[in-house]
Amino acid sequence: MLASYAPSVRFETLDDALAALRERGLRISTPRRLVLEALFEAEGPVSAEHLARRLELDVASVYRNLETLERSGLAAHLHLGHGPSLHVLVGRGEREYLYCEGCGAVETLVPDALDRVRAEVRRGFGYEARFTHFPIVGLCPKCAASPPGRR
Amino acid sequence: MLASYAPSVRFETLDDALAALRERGLRISTPRRLVLEALFEAEGPVSAEHLARRLELDVASVYRNLETLERSGLAAHLHLGHGPSLHVLVGRGEREYLYCEGCGAVETLVPDALDRVRAEVRRGFGYEARFTHFPIVGLCPKCAASPPGRR
DNA sequence: CTGTGTGCAAAGGCTTTGCACTCAA
DNA sequence: TTGAGTGCAAAGCCTTTGCACACAG
C-alpha cells in the first residue's frame, strides 16, 4: 500500500528505454538518443537549455524530445523555484527532491522517503500529495539555522 | 515553537496596509490603492493579468505594485501548477493552500494546518519546509478516488 | 516643485509552433 | 520510399525594463 507515484514500469538501462520507444513506434534519431543518454548520465534534474548546449542540439528539438519521453513514461519534469523546468529520467526510482530556497541545494530522495509526509497530508486533508512535479521547498538544516535570512 | 512562516506584523485592514506603506515612504497612487483593495477583496490567489484587466490598469504597473507590496511584506506570490504567478495578501493568516492537479481546485488552509506535515519533514530531513511559495500539490479526495487518471 | 509611480512600448526568459529538409525504418 | 523527426526562425506566454509624462506629497 502507500500507493505513491512510482512508475509502473522500470527502465534501468538505456537499452530498456530505447526498446520501449521502439515498441511505441517511435524512431530513434540521433538527437533523441543523445537526450536519453544525457538523462541517464545526469547527476540530477537538468534543463532543456542545458541539454541543448551540452549536446549541441537545437533547443526546440530537445523540448520536443523531452515531451516525447515524458509522454512515453520515460522522463518527467519538475519545478524547483523560478527558472526553467528541469527534467529527469523516470524508472530508476529517485523522483523526489528537497529544494533549499536559501542556498539552492537539491537533495535527491530515495523513492519512499516522503511516505510519512504523504501519510500526514492524507491523514489531515484526504489529499494524495505528489512531490514529483513540485518538490518540497524550504530551508536546509544549515540555512534554517543561520540568521533569519528572509526570502 | 513551530516557528512557521507567519508574518511578524498583521495587517487586518486596508488602512493598516496603507499606513504601513506610508511609513516606508511609499506613495499611495490610485493604481497602488486599487491593487491593494483588490487583494483585500479577492477570494483567493490572483494573477497580475487578472488584476490589470479587472482594474483597467497597465499590467506593468500591476507587476511593479505587486513587487512593491511584496517587498513591504504586505503581499506574496505563489505558484500553482503551470501558468502565471498568483498573488495574495499577507497578514490575515491564510497563506497556505492545497492544489489538486486533477481538477484544479485550490483549498485554502488555516495558518497552522500544515504544522504536522512540516514537523514530519523536519523530523525526517531537518528541512524547514515552506508551503507558501510552492504549495503542496496532489490529488484531492475526489480525484484520488476516481480512475488512475495520470498526469 | 520634486521625484515616485504611471502608461506605453520594447525587450527578455522560457517554451511552442510552422515549415521545408533529412534520415530512420 | 515516406513520414517522423530535425534545424532554423518566428511567435507566444509571462514578466521586466526604458522612457517621457503625471501626480502625490
Side-chain angles (χ1 to χ4, degrees), chain A residues 84-137:
Chain A
S85 303
L86 301 178
H87 304 261
V88 289
L89 218 50
V90 168
R92 291 185 306 177
E94 5 141 318
R95 287 282 314 278
E96 299 184 314
Y97 306 86
L98 290 177
Y99 175 63
C100 176
E101 272 186 329
C103 61
V106 176
E107 182 167 335
T108 302
L109 302 178
V110 295
D112 298 329
L114 292 177
D115 281 353
R116 300 182 63 129
V117 175
R118 253 188 294 279
E120 191 57 55
V121 174
R122 191 182 308 118
R123 196 191 61 72
F125 311 97
Y127 264 65
E128 199 57 40
R130 313 169 102 141
F131 298 112
T132 47
H133 190 192
F134 286 93
I136 291 180
V137 170

Side-chain angles (χ1 to χ4, degrees), chain B residues 6-7 15 24 26 28 33 35 39 44-45 54 57 62 73 75 80 82 97-98 101 109-110 118 121 126 130 132 137:
Chain B
D15 283 346
R24 289 195 147 228
L26 296 167
I28 313 296
R33 188 175 39 70
V35 167
L39 288 179
R54 189 175 177 299
L57 295 174
V62 172
L80 293 183
H82 299 157
Y97 307 86
L98 290 178
E101 270 187 329
L109 303 178
V110 296
R118 251 187 296 280
V121 175
R130 313 169 99 141
T132 47
V137 169

Side-chain angles (χ1 to χ4, degrees), chain A residues 27-30 60 63-64 84-85:
Chain A
R27 298 182 180 180
I28 314 297
S29 67
T30 301
Y63 273 111
R64 280 187 286 232
S85 303

Side-chain angles (χ1 to χ4, degrees), chain B residues 75-128:
Chain B
H77 76 273
L78 55 106
H79 306 274
L80 293 183
H82 299 157
S85 303
L86 301 178
H87 303 261
V88 290
L89 217 52
V90 167
R92 290 185 306 178
E94 5 142 316
R95 286 285 312 281
E96 298 184 315
Y97 307 86
L98 290 178
Y99 175 63
C100 176
E101 270 187 329
C103 63
V106 176
E107 182 168 334
T108 301
L109 303 178
V110 296
D112 297 329
L114 292 178
D115 281 352
R116 299 183 63 130
V117 176
R118 251 187 296 280
E120 191 58 55
V121 175
R122 192 182 309 117
R123 197 192 59 73
F125 312 97
Y127 263 66
E128 199 56 41

Side-chain angles (χ1 to χ4, degrees), chain A:
Chain A
M1 42 122 302
L2 275 184
S4 91
Y5 287 85
S8 40
V9 187
R10 294 191 135 248
F11 304 95
E12 304 280 351
T13 69
L14 179 59
D15 283 346
D16 287 350
L18 292 174
L21 289 176
R22 276 189 270 259
E23 266 170 41
R24 290 196 147 228
L26 296 167
R27 298 182 180 180
I28 314 297
S29 67
T30 301
R32 181 163 294 163
R33 187 174 39 70
L34 287 173
V35 168
L36 202 41
E37 287 174 5
L39 288 179
F40 266 97
E41 290 164 11
E43 297 282 320
V46 293
S47 70
E49 170 65 24
H50 171 86
L51 291 171
R53 219 176 16 233
R54 190 175 176 298
L55 303 174
E56 296 183 21
L57 294 174
D58 190 278
V59 71
S61 185
V62 172
Y63 273 111
R64 280 187 286 232
N65 273 308
L66 289 170
E67 203 205 321
T68 297
L69 295 177
E70 189 153 345
R71 279 203 312 255
S72 303
L74 296 176
H77 75 273
L78 55 106
H79 306 273
L80 293 184
H82 299 157
S85 303
L86 301 178
H87 304 261
V88 289
L89 218 50
V90 168
R92 291 185 306 177
E94 5 141 318
R95 287 282 314 278
E96 299 184 314
Y97 306 86
L98 290 177
Y99 175 63
C100 176
E101 272 186 329
C103 61
V106 176
E107 182 167 335
T108 302
L109 302 178
V110 295
D112 298 329
L114 292 177
D115 281 353
R116 300 182 63 129
V117 175
R118 253 188 294 279
E120 191 57 55
V121 174
R122 191 182 308 118
R123 196 191 61 72
F125 311 97
Y127 264 65
E128 199 57 40
R130 313 169 102 141
F131 298 112
T132 47
H133 190 192
F134 286 93
I136 291 180
V137 170
L139 297 177
C140 69
K142 198 161 26 168
C143 289
S146 67
R150 282 294 119 65
R151 210 275 131 115

